[in-house]
Amino acid sequence: MHRFANPTRFMRASALVLPWLAVATALLLGAGLLLALFVAPPDYQQGESVRIMYVHVPAAWLASAAYLSLAVASAIALIWRHPLADIAAQEAAPIGAVFTAICLLSGSLWGKPMWGAWWVWDARLTSMLVLFFLYLGYIALVNAFDDEERGARAGAILALVGVVDLPIIKFSVDWWNTLHQPASVFRLGGPTIAVSMLAPLLVMALGFTLFFATVLLLRMRAAILARKLRALRRAEAEAAGRFAAGPRDAAGSVL
Amino acid sequence: MEERIVEFLRMGGYAAFVWPAYAVTAAGMAGLLWHSLRAYRRARRAVAALQARRPGRADRA
């Protein structure tokens, strides 16, 4: 992994991978959409409303997976001071926040016709809302410091503390009575969902995951360039300052 | 044919919930992509412009 610690190497490798990743994402999302809307059968109880599942569930999985990557990147940044880990964490956060919002909104649109309520304060929904606020809190905290490095450290610590929400989300449907249905894919004893629904769901989930990877690489590239830009501007300003104010000693004071 | 399209769009009476759910998803993903592409292009242009002005120094920074 340390081979990619070098931003220059990362820029080169990501430039090679990105076009392929983007094409694979587009193909999978396209296929997933066709399967979800045209091939998958209506549910015997929920009718056509079950098609909301094909965006809601992948968004929910990705919301949690993105938080896990945010936490892992934060741990790597805190422990090894890996130069790319902070960037990865900071760029994963907005993507995760958007997918959490998609999960909450599509879930609300599914809950209304099935449960008769847009929102209920039950464990699964509430722990997912907490995840959304964790993302927002992380983003706000990272940007609250003038010193970039301090902001990154504070954010990383918050990200690690927030990991406790992930098992709560996962097991909330087992630990508490809830309107939300229990796990039907990742459970002991295998999936209980019909294959005709599982296949479109997995294609969609893989498409969402590749979308996350594509956008994350793109955002990391943008962030690395933005940092380079700041360094260049600083160097230029310093050079201009020296030129305008005449020679200075090593400490920067005018001779 | 037309009937089948209308039938599909009705989503068994759940059109008011299914289509907004897909629209929210598409809007969120398109927004992310647009925002990220814009940030990337801006940064790339700015770095290129700065390097063009001071080629010697820029390489070292």
Side-chain angles (χ1 to χ4, degrees), chain A residues 37 47-49 51, chain B residues 6-15 18-19:
Chain A
L37 288 177
E48 304 287 347
S49 81
R51 298 194 195 282
Chain B
V6 171
E7 192 51 39
F8 171 71
L9 291 178
R10 276 193 67 246
M11 273 291 147
Y14 292 114
V18 173
W19 296 122

Side-chain angles (χ1 to χ4, degrees), chain A residues 29 33 36-38 46 48-49 51-52 55 95 102 109 112-114 211 215 219 221-222 225 228-229 232 236, chain B residues 8 11-12 14 17-18 20-22 24-25 28-29 32 35-37 40 43-44 46-47 50-51 54 58 61:
Chain A
L29 286 179
L33 202 59
L37 288 177
F38 299 101
Q46 306 194 9
E48 304 287 347
S49 81
R51 298 194 195 282
I52 294 175
V55 291
I95 314 177
I102 290 174
L109 284 159
K112 183 63 185 169
M114 290 303 112
F211 178 88
V215 173
R219 296 186 70 91
R221 289 175 64 82
L225 285 180
K228 188 175 177 183
L229 190 64
L232 284 174
E236 196 170 61
Chain B
F8 171 71
M11 273 291 147
Y14 292 114
F17 304 101
V18 173
Y22 277 78
V24 160
T25 308
M29 290 169 86
L32 263 178
H35 179 263
S36 311
L37 272 174
Y40 177 64
R44 204 179 48 181
V47 169
L50 217 58
Q51 281 180 336
R54 310 177 64 87

Side-chain angles (χ1 to χ4, degrees), chain A residues 146-233:
Chain A
D146 288 329
D147 181 356
E148 224 173 76
E149 217 163 292
R150 286 187 67 196
R153 290 200 63 164
I157 291 164
L158 172 69
L160 287 178
V161 174
V163 166
V164 73
D165 194 37
L166 290 183
I168 297 179
I169 291 173
K170 167 72 186 150
F171 296 111
S172 56
V173 285
D174 304 325
W175 290 343
W176 292 283
N177 283 319
T178 167
L179 272 177
H180 197 283
Q181 70 151 65
S184 56
V185 179
F186 297 119
R187 57 186 288 283
L188 289 172
T192 52
I193 179 174
V195 175
S196 56
M197 292 179 172
L198 182 60
L201 185 60
L202 291 182
V203 172
M204 211 58 154
L206 194 59
F208 273 47
T209 308
L210 291 194
F211 178 88
F212 172 74
T214 308
V215 173
L216 180 63
L217 284 187
L218 189 62
R219 296 186 70 91
M220 286 178 70
R221 289 175 64 82
I224 289 169
L225 285 180
R227 281 178 191 209
K228 188 175 177 183
L229 190 64
R230 280 200 292 277
L232 284 174
R233 287 208 171 122

Side-chain angles (χ1 to χ4, degrees), chain A residues 17-93:
Chain A
V17 174
L18 250 178
W20 297 100
L21 212 51
V23 169
T25 305
L27 288 177
L28 272 168
L29 286 179
L33 202 59
L34 288 177
L35 288 171
L37 288 177
F38 299 101
V39 179
D43 186 65
Y44 78 112
Q45 280 182 327
Q46 306 194 9
E48 304 287 347
S49 81
V50 76
R51 298 194 195 282
I52 294 175
M53 174 179 74
Y54 302 111
V55 291
H56 173 74
V57 172
W61 286 344
L62 193 55
S64 299
Y67 195 87
L68 197 61
S69 6
L70 165 60
V72 169
S74 295
I76 293 172
L78 280 178
I79 299 167
W80 289 293
R81 304 277 168 112
H82 191 299
L84 279 172
D86 272 328
I87 294 179
Q90 285 164 28
E91 298 309 322

